[in-house]
Amino acid sequence: MSGKLIIQTYRLLLLLVLGLIPLYPRDIVIIVEDTDLALPLEGARIRSWDGAEYTCDTEGTVHLNVPDDRQVVIQATYPGYETSRLRIPMTGSSFTLGLQMSGVMENRELVIEAPRPGVSETKSGRSVAISDKDLARTAEIGIIEDVMTSIKLLPGVGYAGMFNAMPSIRGGSPGDLMAVMDGFYIEQPYHWGGGVSIFDPRMVQSAKLSHGVFSSRYGHTISGLLEITSKKPSSTEVELELGLSSSATNLNLAYPLGGKGGVMVMGKLTYWDPFVWVAKQFVEEVQYITTAPYIRSGAFSANYRFTPDLEVSAHGFIGGDGIAAYYQNESVAENLLSKSDMRASWDNKVGFLITGLTLNPLPAMVLKGTAGAGFHSTDLDAQMYNDVQVPYSPGFIERWDTLDGTADEKINGETAYSLTNEMGDTMTELTVNYQGRLDFDWDLSRGLLFAAGVQELYSQWIEEEQARIWRETLDPAKTLAEGTPWYTHYPVTFSNDVRNSGFFSSAYSLLEYASPAQRFGAELGLRLDHLFFVGNDFTIQSAPVLNPRLNLDFGILKNHGPIDALSLTLGTGLFSSMNTNLIYINQDSGIGDFDLKQSRSWTSILGTKIDFFESYSVTIEGYLKRVFDRSYQTLVSQGDTLRMDYRFDGEGFIWGFDGMLQKFASRYWDGWISYSFTHARYRNPSSAEEGDWVFPSFHRFHNLNLVLNIKPIRAFHIAARFGFASGRPKSVVGEVTSYPVTLPDGRIIEKWKRSSSYSDTERDGFALPLDLKFSWYGFSSHGKGQWEIYAGVENLLSFLKTAQRNTSFNQYTGKEDAGSTTASYELPIPMISVGFRWTY
């Protein structure tokens, strides 16, 4: 019986496996050609019925395998042409698919800007690009589908943790990254205070991280630029996508407009209630969440081509997120009685509307205008009440007796003390911006392109805040003779009533040259940026800054052995940006005209890129960056209030190198591996605490990422993301010691502290993120519909390794907590997600 059971089981497994493997009894040939000229389109991309992609050869042909038991649909794309689909019947072996050019404007893009299809759009020395296909494989993998998840896997990007969409770019401050969507600057493109970005991969056609010497067309950053191109609806096909998962539901619908354009609407609802319920069983801190984190968002995209020379477009987004928590606790531990009550709520909204017009006044000219408006608002209400009753330690009373013999008098003869702290922060913040830009490109022929443009960005900042905190400051007059510090404990209140605005004006010009056969290329640009700041009854301005930029590209080899192309890039340029904390400047800040400075950086880069015929690409770059005129702020106590001082002499010195080996789409696997080494040092000369050169808190020397998409059979894919990140700087701490504190009512109490100092050599532990996704695909009988069932797990190694920092301790008893505090944004448990997606 056991033998028969084994055979039956084997047969059953064999049938299951065979059921997953489609049969391919029929080979066909697809010929892609220009509809009007009947010319073959070499390099056209064919997306097969099963999701695989192929590139047409010099004759515009590609060979495919299709089932013979049903009809299927394939899709063809080529830069400058309309996307087209073709239904393959159950009979026949050769088919022709014609593509129609989408106008002179798009044709110009084909000649000047488009790379050879099938080759990465990454430009050595300037940027790294991710297509919608790669976004789907790396960003649509877990409980939060975010474009920034893919960006954080690229070379030059520092590891920031799962719930942090603000990474360091090549040693720059995380806040230096600027996002641009279809030419529109988005100052706060985040949900959950920077935990995730607003860029859903389903609303994005492509994403490009520019962290080298990028074009003078863009500015407002000294570190990196994230260029987002929104998804364009089909002008000929109705498209529908429905997604349902354990953490989100989304619906996308696109409708064509008579072959000249289309409209697409997208909606997404993110809910974490199931995940929070599971996490409450394992993580104590999650118990107190009363409103699970949520995101609600909607977007639309539309375009219409009136003539081959005139096209208009519009894109919009509206989203909101929030969370609420209520913490109440009463505990007794080692004679310490503690009562705590905390209530907090967070509500955030962001939205924008972008309109664009593209005009070809002449075949060699493109004029593009963009105008839009956006807003970002945040409401925060956090209140905390804490009451403790702490016994005096015998050592503390004895030491007082030894010092001056007045212990009983100092502590009023008590054996314990009580301390009540009430703290709170109520804030309402609103940022509104209006911006417009005009860009002009002129193809001068013979490989020359001239471009120029002007940009204006007006931002208005409104903020009301009332906060109360408790501070302790050293009282030199009472510091004890043997050097024991004596502190004063007192409440501090501060408020903000911001009604400021700013005009950011920019202009640029550039000249590009590309020699025949791409043997040599050059880009010389100049950008001018200026800020005019309008406050309450005062105005100030920065001096205009000039940012010249130069890139030289050398085509070393082409079509040589296994090498398709080998290039070398040299680049150098200046960049500028404004620190967002400058919005709090007021008339008492003491900043006059031209005292206000824009943060600057001078970046130089040397890079090489090798494209191989076997769908491999290698990019290696080294860079040197000098940061100067960097703004920073310090808080200064004025009695029971706080004042912010502004300085503009911060500086930094950064150098490093990074590389990327990429395998493009193939039958069985694709992906990339990236490595980054970064050495970044900063200093704030006018700050007593930060006057020396230090590694910033976000700095990591090494970052390694491995991205794999494995396709053992066409109906089953495995996506994997693995990373290694070295530790961040960690302070050197001393022994925990007690010290006396004077309360506002004159009582003396005992608290505990330990010294902490910066170290160049101390680091916390390394991070090992690992995420997996398993996808099963299927297709409808008519070939137009496709479905996916997937299961994903993130933070898979959380049980094995969590980066650690210094241990914490109780400030009232001095007892050190067992273990160490976590040093990352991850939860200490893996996060599992399942979902279903259907497209038509």
Side-chain angles (χ1 to χ4, degrees), residues 363-376:
M365 293 182 181
V366 177
L367 185 66
K368 186 172 183 179
T370 304
F375 78 94
H376 173 260

Side-chain angles (χ1 to χ4, degrees), residues 410-457:
K410 294 290 186 181
I411 65 176
N412 297 326
E414 299 172 350
T415 59
Y417 69 86
S418 62
L419 178 63
T420 300
N421 289 326
E422 291 186 50
M423 296 179 285
D425 190 357
T426 302
M427 181 190 69
T428 299
E429 179 185 70
L430 175 64
T431 299
V432 180
N433 70 77
Y434 306 90
Q435 52 186 291
R437 60 183 295 159
L438 187 64
D439 300 274
F440 172 71
D441 285 19
W442 185 9
D443 182 3
L444 302 175
S445 73
R446 299 184 181 275
L448 285 173
L449 172 71
F450 171 77
V454 293
Q455 304 164 12
E456 185 68 34
L457 191 158

